[in-house]
């Protein structure tokens, strides 16, 4: 079964509104979670690394004021797309690691955001 | 700058035959490589990995080969099954062993296994 769950799986919103996406590790504690974005026919692009209890680390080119990340607990990280625009429409995926070893990453089901 | 490249966007193979998916990388600091499988509207699932100290890793029908001098890796699936039809992503990271879990993904290859 899924060990990382995302919600919602699909969201449609109007331009200018904010949307929150949740990522939960279901049966383990994740001190670090990762947020990715995927455009059609493109690779998964790492947006930011979410650390429990501290500020997220954003990749170059990702606006931290637009994509707010909060890792309030060891099992929950949230991504809020603020003042969404049509170009923010994308597939957002989170991942979390059970262990320190690279590769033991479990991905959420993804969230399809459509901004009208 | 695409550090991990999958030059074939799609591949079609007959059931029972071998599927070979290729991946090239440019960053010599990468020391851990992974393959993920992804179905539409789902998150990727881990398939197999290889560290840079090895040149081959096998798990059932899946084998990953690493050629460090060529900065090239490949995933072999044999025999291919229709259920293998999915997008396959190659990913790489630097600092295996706890330093980081940051993965750099390739653009993916859509594998279609024909019955």
């Amino acid at each position: 079964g899924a060990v990382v769950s995302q919600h919602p799986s699909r969201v449609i919103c109007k331009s200018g509104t904010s949307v929150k996406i949740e990522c939960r590790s279901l049966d383990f504690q994740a001190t670090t979670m990762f947020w990715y974005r995927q455009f059609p026919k493109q690779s998964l692009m790492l947006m930011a690394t979410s650390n429990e209890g501290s500020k997220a680390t954003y990749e170059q080119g990702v606006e931290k004021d637009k994509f707010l990340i909060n890792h309030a607990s060891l099992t929950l990280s949230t991504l809020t797309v603020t003042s969404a625009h049509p170009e923010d429409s994308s597939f957002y995926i989170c991942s979390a690691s059970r262990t320190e070893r690279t590769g033991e990453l479990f991905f959420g089901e993804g969230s399809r955001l459509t901004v009208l | 700058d695409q550090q991990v490249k999958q030059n074939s966007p799609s591949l079609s193979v007959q059931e029972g035959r071998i599927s070979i998916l290729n991946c090239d990388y440019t960053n010599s600091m990468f020391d851990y490589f992974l393959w993920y499988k992804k179905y539409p509207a789902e998150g990727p699932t881990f398939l197999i990995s290889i560290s840079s100290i090895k040149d081959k890793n096998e798990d059932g029908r899946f084998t990953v080969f690493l050629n460090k001098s060529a900065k090239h890796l490949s995933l072999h699936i044999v025999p291919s099954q229709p259920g293998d039809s999915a997008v396959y992503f190659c990913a790489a990271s630097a600092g295996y062993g706890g330093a980081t879990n940051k993965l750099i993904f390739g653009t993916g290859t859509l594998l279609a296994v024909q019955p």
Side-chain angles (χ1 to χ4, degrees):
Chain A
V3 295
V4 175
S5 178
Q6 265 183 258
H7 178 81
S9 58
R10 290 179 182 273
V11 56
I12 300 173
C13 70
K14 292 182 178 180
S15 185
T17 61
S18 294
V19 174
K20 180 185 284 188
I21 301 169
E22 293 185 347
C23 178
R24 295 181 184 273
S25 56
L26 298 182
D27 60 354
F28 66 99
Q29 294 183 332
T31 55
T32 304
M33 292 184 174
F34 302 87
W35 286 95
Y36 295 83
R37 180 176 183 177
Q38 184 186 23
F39 291 105
K41 299 182 180 180
Q42 295 189 25
S43 64
L44 294 160
M45 300 297 296
L46 179 65
M47 298 175 65
T49 302
S50 171
N51 302 298
E52 189 268 336
S54 65
K55 291 183 179 180
T57 303
Y58 289 83
E59 295 300 301
Q60 191 174 9
V62 178
E63 299 175 60
K64 61 181 180 181
D65 294 330
K66 180 164 188 62
F67 298 100
L68 299 179
I69 291 173
N70 185 291
H71 196 149
S73 75
L74 286 171
T75 59
L76 174 64
S77 176
T78 60
L79 168 68
T80 302
V81 183
T82 62
S83 187
H85 291 285
E87 57 265 30
D88 298 325
S89 299
S90 189
F91 192 57
Y92 294 88
I93 308 176
C94 71
S95 70
S97 176
R98 281 181 186 271
T99 71
E100 290 296 316
R101 282 183 50 201
T102 304
E104 302 274 351
L105 280 178
F106 294 90
F107 285 80
E109 308 94 329
S111 301
R112 170 72 62 190
L113 170 63
T114 303
V115 184
L116 303 176
Chain B
D1 177 32
Q2 190 72 29
Q3 297 184 67
V4 179
K5 302 176 185 178
Q6 292 175 259
N7 293 319
S8 297
S10 63
L11 175 68
S12 182
V13 171
Q14 286 293 119
E15 181 178 5
R17 299 287 185 98
I18 184 171
S19 296
I20 300 177
L21 298 106
N22 293 303
C23 178
D24 297 290
Y25 61 96
T26 58
N27 189 342
S28 57
M29 297 300 291
F30 288 146
D31 58 2
Y32 196 61
F33 305 90
L34 310 94
W35 285 94
Y36 282 83
K37 178 179 179 180
K38 184 180 181 300
Y39 293 112
E42 292 185 12
T45 54
F46 171 70
L47 202 56
I48 192 169
S49 63
I50 188 168
S51 72
S52 59
I53 62 173
K54 294 185 176 182
D55 53 20
K56 176 183 175 181
N57 189 24
E58 190 172 353
D59 183 3
R61 296 186 297 113
F62 303 91
T63 303
V64 56
F65 295 92
L66 175 63
N67 182 334
K68 289 192 294 291
S69 60
K71 293 191 176 68
H72 176 84
L73 65 155
S74 61
L75 174 68
H76 293 211
I77 306 172
V78 55
S80 301
Q81 299 173 354
D84 296 329
S85 298
V87 176
Y88 289 78
F89 286 97
C90 168
S93 78
Y96 171 66
T100 177
N101 274 322
K102 284 176 59 172
L103 297 180
I104 307 300
F105 283 85
T107 49
T109 297
L110 174 62
L111 173 65
V113 181
Q114 309 297 332

